[in-house]
Amino acid sequence: MCRRLFLLILLCVVAGMPAWACTSAVVSGRVTPDGRPLLWKHRDASDLNNRIVRFDAVKGQFSFVGVVNGTDSLAREVWTGYNSVGFAVMNTASYNLKNDTSSLADREGVVMKRALAVCRTVDDFARLLDEWPRPIGVEANFGAIDAEGGAAYFEVNNYEVTRYDVADAPDGYLLRTNYSMSGRPDEGFGYIRYDNAARLFAPVAAQKAITPEWLTGVCSRSFYHTLLGRDFSGDNWAVDQDFIPRRSTSASLVVEGVKPGESPAFTTMWTVLGYPPCSVVLPVWLGCNSGVPALLQASGDTLRAPLCEWANALKREAFPIERGSGSHYLHMARLFRPDGSGMTQQLLGLEKEVYAQSRTLLDEARRSGSWNDRQVERTMTRIEQQVSAFFQKMLNSGSR
């Protein structure tokens, strides 16, 4: 009787434990319209207040930019980012790789921060992992791209590294959620989310049409559920379970790399902070002086980014029930409405304008071979003012 009671309690505890449910992709230029690789990280985390931090080069290392948790006041960890030579890295937690009893864990952000400071290529990252003292303190799928055509996933536990190069992927891309292909079968999390992403990717990759706009606009805001076989975005309410966007989603980022021979200064990190259905994208450019929008950085002494704060405030409209198990229920009708006035629909309209204005800057920089810092500052000031005004109107409106 005692044993049965213990098992029941254990099951309840495990069921209540949050599995940070990231969804990700490493995409080769073979399936993008312009031949540039992409690194997509749809991030779920315990800390929902994310910000972007720019790190200066020190002691001959590279400068870099990346996502930092709101509680990480000293920015000791980075959870997706890229550096001045075009190397980019992200991770998803894995739950079927650990095969030892070491207590050292959750060091992925430390590993990625170090990688961004010292790695030029994906092969450099492979060497860094091989040389890292054991146990590494990780259980993760690391995705990486570089400015020389490298693109791969590394499935890593405390002692072992298994590499999967996208060049070997017949479809031109690889996906990972919260289990590893080299791990123990049928363990881990994210099998349905993987299928959700695979269903979205297959036809678009076949058309060589995978873009940052599609990844942030469609994948990170998709409520199609493959197991149940339908899209829930037309429902009034839905249970927040096994969609790509979840209540625990803290950001969605796409690093748009460069073609071999192209300047890594044009690498772009398209950044959505907060719950993507209630947020909007902004570009991050390490290669120019005004390339990190203030709305993505810490505001004052709060260590919180304004865009993330606004998105979290709108998310409370989408998850309005706080008592009991109400937090599991998503009021879908707040996000999508038949007349197009849902919060997500309005923000997607704004996002198209942000992409259009940002791409004008990026295209001009590529044509001229360098950034026009004054033009970037003027355009980004205008975009941030537009985004700020849009959110203030939504937050102050009683008719959302």
mmCIF file of all heavy atoms in Angstrom, residues 25 32 68 84 96 109 139 153 194 213-214 222 254 263 277 290 293 304 311 330 336 347 359 372 378 382:
data_model
loop_
_atom_site.group_PDB
_atom_site.id
_atom_site.type_symbol
_atom_site.label_atom_id
_atom_site.label_comp_id
_atom_site.label_asym_id
_atom_site.label_seq_id
_atom_site.Cartn_x
_atom_site.Cartn_y
_atom_site.Cartn_z
ATOM 1 N N ALA A 25 15.182 24.325 -35.394
ATOM 2 C CA ALA A 25 15.564 23.824 -36.717
ATOM 3 C C ALA A 25 16.899 24.412 -37.127
ATOM 4 O O ALA A 25 17.212 25.563 -36.801
ATOM 5 C CB ALA A 25 14.507 24.169 -37.760
ATOM 6 N N THR A 32 16.231 27.593 -48.758
ATOM 7 C CA THR A 32 15.819 28.987 -48.568
ATOM 8 C C THR A 32 15.866 29.694 -49.907
ATOM 9 O O THR A 32 16.630 29.308 -50.790
ATOM 10 C CB THR A 32 16.741 29.710 -47.563
ATOM 11 O OG1 THR A 32 18.073 29.772 -48.083
ATOM 12 C CG2 THR A 32 16.746 28.999 -46.217
ATOM 13 N N VAL A 68 19.405 36.525 -22.955
ATOM 14 C CA VAL A 68 19.786 36.328 -21.563
ATOM 15 C C VAL A 68 18.525 36.335 -20.705
ATOM 16 O O VAL A 68 17.583 37.090 -20.968
ATOM 17 C CB VAL A 68 20.746 37.443 -21.107
ATOM 18 C CG1 VAL A 68 21.028 37.361 -19.616
ATOM 19 C CG2 VAL A 68 22.050 37.371 -21.906
ATOM 20 N N SER A 84 30.578 38.066 -34.140
ATOM 21 C CA SER A 84 31.010 38.994 -35.182
ATOM 22 C C SER A 84 31.582 38.312 -36.412
ATOM 23 O O SER A 84 31.746 38.959 -37.446
ATOM 24 C CB SER A 84 32.042 39.971 -34.613
ATOM 25 O OG SER A 84 33.124 39.264 -34.034
ATOM 26 N N ASN A 96 16.582 12.439 -22.942
ATOM 27 C CA ASN A 96 16.821 11.002 -23.128
ATOM 28 C C ASN A 96 18.291 10.691 -23.416
ATOM 29 O O ASN A 96 18.616 9.656 -23.986
ATOM 30 C CB ASN A 96 15.933 10.431 -24.233
ATOM 31 C CG ASN A 96 16.286 10.952 -25.619
ATOM 32 O OD1 ASN A 96 16.872 12.036 -25.774
ATOM 33 N ND2 ASN A 96 15.905 10.203 -26.645
ATOM 34 N N GLY A 109 23.822 27.189 -21.095
ATOM 35 C CA GLY A 109 24.007 28.613 -21.331
ATOM 36 C C GLY A 109 25.447 29.054 -21.161
ATOM 37 O O GLY A 109 25.921 29.970 -21.855
ATOM 38 N N GLU A 139 22.743 18.299 -21.088
ATOM 39 C CA GLU A 139 21.964 17.258 -21.764
ATOM 40 C C GLU A 139 21.120 17.998 -22.780
ATOM 41 O O GLU A 139 20.044 18.502 -22.470
ATOM 42 C CB GLU A 139 21.093 16.477 -20.774
ATOM 43 C CG GLU A 139 20.368 15.305 -21.432
ATOM 44 C CD GLU A 139 19.485 14.531 -20.463
ATOM 45 O OE1 GLU A 139 19.119 15.099 -19.412
ATOM 46 O OE2 GLU A 139 19.136 13.377 -20.771
ATOM 47 N N TYR A 153 23.668 19.849 -35.953
ATOM 48 C CA TYR A 153 23.225 19.631 -34.577
ATOM 49 C C TYR A 153 24.265 18.772 -33.863
ATOM 50 O O TYR A 153 24.894 17.886 -34.469
ATOM 51 C CB TYR A 153 21.894 18.881 -34.524
ATOM 52 C CG TYR A 153 20.663 19.745 -34.530
ATOM 53 C CD1 TYR A 153 19.817 19.764 -35.628
ATOM 54 C CD2 TYR A 153 20.321 20.529 -33.429
ATOM 55 C CE1 TYR A 153 18.670 20.546 -35.642
ATOM 56 C CE2 TYR A 153 19.185 21.314 -33.436
ATOM 57 C CZ TYR A 153 18.367 21.320 -34.546
ATOM 58 O OH TYR A 153 17.236 22.101 -34.542
ATOM 59 N N TYR A 194 7.403 17.923 -32.502
ATOM 60 C CA TYR A 194 8.280 17.595 -33.630
ATOM 61 C C TYR A 194 7.432 17.311 -34.869
ATOM 62 O O TYR A 194 7.721 17.814 -35.967
ATOM 63 C CB TYR A 194 9.145 16.383 -33.288
ATOM 64 C CG TYR A 194 10.137 16.023 -34.373
ATOM 65 C CD1 TYR A 194 11.472 16.401 -34.276
ATOM 66 C CD2 TYR A 194 9.744 15.297 -35.499
ATOM 67 C CE1 TYR A 194 12.390 16.080 -35.262
ATOM 68 C CE2 TYR A 194 10.640 14.973 -36.498
ATOM 69 C CZ TYR A 194 11.973 15.367 -36.372
ATOM 70 O OH TYR A 194 12.861 15.048 -37.366
ATOM 71 N N GLU A 213 10.572 35.164 -42.078
ATOM 72 C CA GLU A 213 9.187 35.620 -41.997
ATOM 73 C C GLU A 213 8.235 34.451 -41.781
ATOM 74 O O GLU A 213 7.282 34.551 -40.986
ATOM 75 C CB GLU A 213 8.808 36.369 -43.280
ATOM 76 C CG GLU A 213 9.452 37.733 -43.425
ATOM 77 C CD GLU A 213 10.801 37.705 -44.115
ATOM 78 O OE1 GLU A 213 11.503 36.657 -44.072
ATOM 79 O OE2 GLU A 213 11.192 38.732 -44.697
ATOM 80 N N TRP A 214 8.493 33.357 -42.463
ATOM 81 C CA TRP A 214 7.634 32.174 -42.330
ATOM 82 C C TRP A 214 7.837 31.510 -40.971
ATOM 83 O O TRP A 214 6.868 31.092 -40.320
ATOM 84 C CB TRP A 214 7.943 31.193 -43.459
ATOM 85 C CG TRP A 214 7.161 29.924 -43.390
ATOM 86 C CD1 TRP A 214 5.847 29.739 -43.709
ATOM 87 C CD2 TRP A 214 7.653 28.649 -42.956
ATOM 88 N NE1 TRP A 214 5.487 28.417 -43.496
ATOM 89 C CE2 TRP A 214 6.569 27.738 -43.039
ATOM 90 C CE3 TRP A 214 8.887 28.190 -42.517
ATOM 91 C CZ2 TRP A 214 6.700 26.394 -42.698
ATOM 92 C CZ3 TRP A 214 9.022 26.847 -42.167
ATOM 93 C CH2 TRP A 214 7.935 25.964 -42.259
ATOM 94 N N SER A 222 1.713 28.781 -34.787
ATOM 95 C CA SER A 222 0.837 27.732 -35.311
ATOM 96 C C SER A 222 0.162 26.969 -34.178
ATOM 97 O O SER A 222 0.812 26.551 -33.221
ATOM 98 C CB SER A 222 1.642 26.753 -36.169
ATOM 99 O OG SER A 222 0.843 25.639 -36.529
ATOM 100 N N VAL A 254 15.286 33.728 -35.036
ATOM 101 C CA VAL A 254 15.819 33.146 -36.264
ATOM 102 C C VAL A 254 17.100 33.886 -36.605
ATOM 103 O O VAL A 254 17.082 35.088 -36.874
ATOM 104 C CB VAL A 254 14.831 33.256 -37.436
ATOM 105 C CG1 VAL A 254 15.431 32.588 -38.685
ATOM 106 C CG2 VAL A 254 13.490 32.636 -37.093
ATOM 107 N N SER A 263 30.024 39.024 -46.232
ATOM 108 C CA SER A 263 30.471 39.543 -44.940
ATOM 109 C C SER A 263 29.561 39.071 -43.817
ATOM 110 O O SER A 263 28.334 39.210 -43.895
ATOM 111 C CB SER A 263 30.498 41.074 -44.961
ATOM 112 O OG SER A 263 30.750 41.569 -43.655
ATOM 113 N N PRO A 277 2.596 34.668 -30.128
ATOM 114 C CA PRO A 277 1.290 35.137 -30.580
ATOM 115 C C PRO A 277 0.910 36.511 -30.053
ATOM 116 O O PRO A 277 -0.031 37.133 -30.567
ATOM 117 C CB PRO A 277 0.332 34.059 -30.050
ATOM 118 C CG PRO A 277 1.163 32.823 -29.959
ATOM 119 C CD PRO A 277 2.491 33.328 -29.490
ATOM 120 N N SER A 290 23.833 50.869 -34.263
ATOM 121 C CA SER A 290 22.481 50.960 -33.682
ATOM 122 C C SER A 290 21.669 49.708 -33.969
ATOM 123 O O SER A 290 20.457 49.765 -34.109
ATOM 124 C CB SER A 290 21.761 52.197 -34.245
ATOM 125 O OG SER A 290 22.497 53.365 -33.985
ATOM 126 N N PRO A 293 18.016 46.915 -30.971
ATOM 127 C CA PRO A 293 16.929 47.821 -30.561
ATOM 128 C C PRO A 293 16.802 47.955 -29.052
ATOM 129 O O PRO A 293 16.927 46.971 -28.308
ATOM 130 C CB PRO A 293 15.684 47.162 -31.165
ATOM 131 C CG PRO A 293 16.203 46.346 -32.315
ATOM 132 C CD PRO A 293 17.539 45.850 -31.868
ATOM 133 N N ARG A 304 14.709 44.118 -17.546
ATOM 134 C CA ARG A 304 13.600 43.614 -18.358
ATOM 135 C C ARG A 304 13.473 44.445 -19.626
ATOM 136 O O ARG A 304 13.589 45.674 -19.596
ATOM 137 C CB ARG A 304 12.294 43.646 -17.565
ATOM 138 C CG ARG A 304 12.322 42.712 -16.363
ATOM 139 C CD ARG A 304 10.968 42.573 -15.731
ATOM 140 N NE ARG A 304 10.970 41.571 -14.668
ATOM 141 C CZ ARG A 304 9.884 41.094 -14.089
ATOM 142 N NH1 ARG A 304 8.684 41.538 -14.450
ATOM 143 N NH2 ARG A 304 9.973 40.181 -13.150
ATOM 144 N N ALA A 311 4.561 42.037 -24.322
ATOM 145 C CA ALA A 311 4.041 40.755 -24.795
ATOM 146 C C ALA A 311 3.504 39.925 -23.631
ATOM 147 O O ALA A 311 2.458 39.280 -23.752
ATOM 148 C CB ALA A 311 5.141 39.987 -25.535
ATOM 149 N N LEU A 330 -6.287 28.284 -22.960
ATOM 150 C CA LEU A 330 -5.976 29.409 -23.827
ATOM 151 C C LEU A 330 -7.254 29.940 -24.473
ATOM 152 O O LEU A 330 -7.990 29.189 -25.119
ATOM 153 C CB LEU A 330 -4.991 28.952 -24.912
ATOM 154 C CG LEU A 330 -4.705 29.897 -26.078
ATOM 155 C CD1 LEU A 330 -4.105 31.205 -25.584
ATOM 156 C CD2 LEU A 330 -3.772 29.212 -27.079
ATOM 157 N N PHE A 336 -7.305 35.096 -32.365
ATOM 158 C CA PHE A 336 -7.791 35.006 -33.746
ATOM 159 C C PHE A 336 -9.302 35.207 -33.777
ATOM 160 O O PHE A 336 -10.025 34.569 -33.012
ATOM 161 C CB PHE A 336 -7.458 33.630 -34.353
ATOM 162 C CG PHE A 336 -5.990 33.316 -34.391
ATOM 163 C CD1 PHE A 336 -5.397 32.596 -33.356
ATOM 164 C CD2 PHE A 336 -5.201 33.729 -35.458
ATOM 165 C CE1 PHE A 336 -4.045 32.295 -33.387
ATOM 166 C CE2 PHE A 336 -3.844 33.435 -35.498
ATOM 167 C CZ PHE A 336 -3.278 32.720 -34.460
ATOM 168 N N LEU A 347 -0.957 41.857 -34.724
ATOM 169 C CA LEU A 347 0.488 41.900 -34.584
ATOM 170 C C LEU A 347 1.199 41.356 -35.818
ATOM 171 O O LEU A 347 2.286 41.822 -36.178
ATOM 172 C CB LEU A 347 0.910 41.120 -33.337
ATOM 173 C CG LEU A 347 0.566 41.829 -32.022
ATOM 174 C CD1 LEU A 347 0.640 40.861 -30.848
ATOM 175 C CD2 LEU A 347 1.500 43.012 -31.789
ATOM 176 N N ARG A 359 14.179 44.909 -43.985
ATOM 177 C CA ARG A 359 14.812 44.296 -45.149
ATOM 178 C C ARG A 359 15.309 45.348 -46.147
ATOM 179 O O ARG A 359 16.300 45.120 -46.848
ATOM 180 C CB ARG A 359 13.855 43.313 -45.821
ATOM 181 C CG ARG A 359 13.707 42.023 -45.036
ATOM 182 C CD ARG A 359 13.666 40.805 -45.941
ATOM 183 N NE ARG A 359 13.640 39.565 -45.173
ATOM 184 C CZ ARG A 359 14.718 38.897 -44.819
ATOM 185 N NH1 ARG A 359 15.918 39.369 -45.133
ATOM 186 N NH2 ARG A 359 14.622 37.766 -44.135
ATOM 187 N N ASN A 372 25.046 51.621 -43.304
ATOM 188 C CA ASN A 372 24.935 53.065 -43.137
ATOM 189 C C ASN A 372 24.363 53.297 -41.741
ATOM 190 O O ASN A 372 23.155 53.217 -41.538
ATOM 191 C CB ASN A 372 24.022 53.659 -44.206
ATOM 192 C CG ASN A 372 23.907 55.171 -44.135
ATOM 193 O OD1 ASN A 372 23.963 55.756 -43.059
ATOM 194 N ND2 ASN A 372 23.722 55.818 -45.281
ATOM 195 N N ARG A 378 18.092 55.990 -37.884
ATOM 196 C CA ARG A 378 16.827 56.670 -38.204
ATOM 197 C C ARG A 378 15.691 55.665 -38.402
ATOM 198 O O ARG A 378 14.589 55.842 -37.873
ATOM 199 C CB ARG A 378 16.995 57.523 -39.465
ATOM 200 C CG ARG A 378 17.785 58.799 -39.256
ATOM 201 C CD ARG A 378 17.592 59.751 -40.419
ATOM 202 N NE ARG A 378 18.098 59.185 -41.661
ATOM 203 C CZ ARG A 378 19.328 59.394 -42.141
ATOM 204 N NH1 ARG A 378 20.182 60.149 -41.475
ATOM 205 N NH2 ARG A 378 19.704 58.854 -43.283
ATOM 206 N N ARG A 382 12.363 54.877 -35.950
ATOM 207 C CA ARG A 382 10.995 54.943 -36.472
ATOM 208 C C ARG A 382 10.246 53.627 -36.209
ATOM 209 O O ARG A 382 9.081 53.640 -35.794
ATOM 210 C CB ARG A 382 11.033 55.248 -37.971
ATOM 211 C CG ARG A 382 9.642 55.393 -38.599
ATOM 212 C CD ARG A 382 9.723 55.899 -40.027
ATOM 213 N NE ARG A 382 10.395 54.961 -40.917
ATOM 214 C CZ ARG A 382 11.574 55.169 -41.493
ATOM 215 N NH1 ARG A 382 12.249 56.292 -41.255
ATOM 216 N NH2 ARG A 382 12.104 54.264 -42.301
#
